Amino acid sequence: MEKELVSSKNHTVYIAIGSNIGDKQQNLLTAIEEIQIMIGPVTEISSFFENEAQGFKSKNIFVNACLICKTHLNPLATLKELENIEKKMGRKKTNKAYKDRIIDLDIIFFDNLIYKSEKLTIPHKEYKNRSFVLIPLKELSPFLEK
């Protein structure tokens, strides 16, 4: 899978997006535009949800959403583009697991793939424990269990 970055198949990717610094809604809209340019067409976007930080303390409220995107990229190439978008938007990665961020982009599902590597796990290993992912995800895919 790592060697083939682009395929002729159109893949369906569910991506969780979030921001708690600056103009949070605009940050999400900018990320969505970048995803459409760098990864592929966004076919559905959930409502934007406000919520408290989870996993760390912050005075800043998050705005989160989920989207569905079509792509010819493989999962690792998709992850690389998401990381490029985060970097372009000013996110600075640190050793600290959770902290305030201008943008956070995570692959939740990629087709029906089950995949695990050092860099990426699909489905996302924590999605079932995160209401800020489950609420918008259920809006896009009501068949998902909580």
Side-chain angles (χ1 to χ4, degrees):
M1 180 184 318
E2 285 88 356
K3 292 179 184 170
E4 186 183 326
L5 297 178
V6 178
S7 73
S8 59
K9 185 174 187 239
N10 208 17
H11 301 286
T12 301
V13 186
Y14 286 73
I15 300 171
I17 62 177
S19 175
N20 79 330
I21 297 175
D23 187 339
K24 297 169 261 195
Q25 289 195 8
Q26 185 57 53
N27 292 342
L28 296 190
L29 293 172
T30 299
I32 292 166
E33 288 174 16
E34 290 293 324
I35 288 168
Q36 294 205 108
I37 294 165
M38 304 304 296
I39 297 171
V42 172
T43 59
E44 290 186 63
I45 305 168
S46 73
S47 301
F48 289 6
F49 292 89
E50 287 189 352
N51 56 280
E52 302 279 326
Q54 292 182 18
F56 72 105
K57 292 188 187 289
S58 175
K59 63 181 186 260
N60 299 318
I61 297 293
F62 270 89
V63 175
N64 290 91
C66 284
L67 59 85
I68 300 173
C69 176
K70 299 291 185 181
T71 189
H72 290 290
L73 299 177
N74 77 16
L76 289 175
T78 302
L79 175 65
K80 183 172 177 52
E81 290 301 338
L82 290 174
E83 289 172 341
N84 288 339
I85 293 167
E86 288 177 335
K87 187 176 181 179
K88 180 179 179 180
M89 290 183 64
R91 180 167 179 191
K92 301 197 181 357
K93 299 260 184 169
T94 66
N95 293 338
K96 207 172 171 185
Y98 299 113
K99 65 175 201 150
D100 292 327
R101 61 205 70 164
I102 193 162
I103 196 68
D104 185 34
L105 305 171
D106 290 317
I107 297 170
I108 305 302
F109 300 119
F110 194 102
D111 292 335
N112 293 322
L113 184 65
I114 296 173
Y115 177 78
K116 186 169 180 143
S117 74
E118 195 176 292
K119 289 184 155 198
L120 180 63
T121 300
I122 300 171
H124 190 286
K125 59 186 172 215
E126 292 294 323
Y127 88 93
K128 288 184 179 180
N129 302 320
R130 296 177 169 172
S131 61
F132 62 88
V133 173
L134 285 174
I135 291 169
L137 196 57
K138 275 197 70 76
E139 189 178 297
L140 297 178
S141 300
F143 61 86
L144 289 173
E145 293 182 26
K146 281 196 173 187

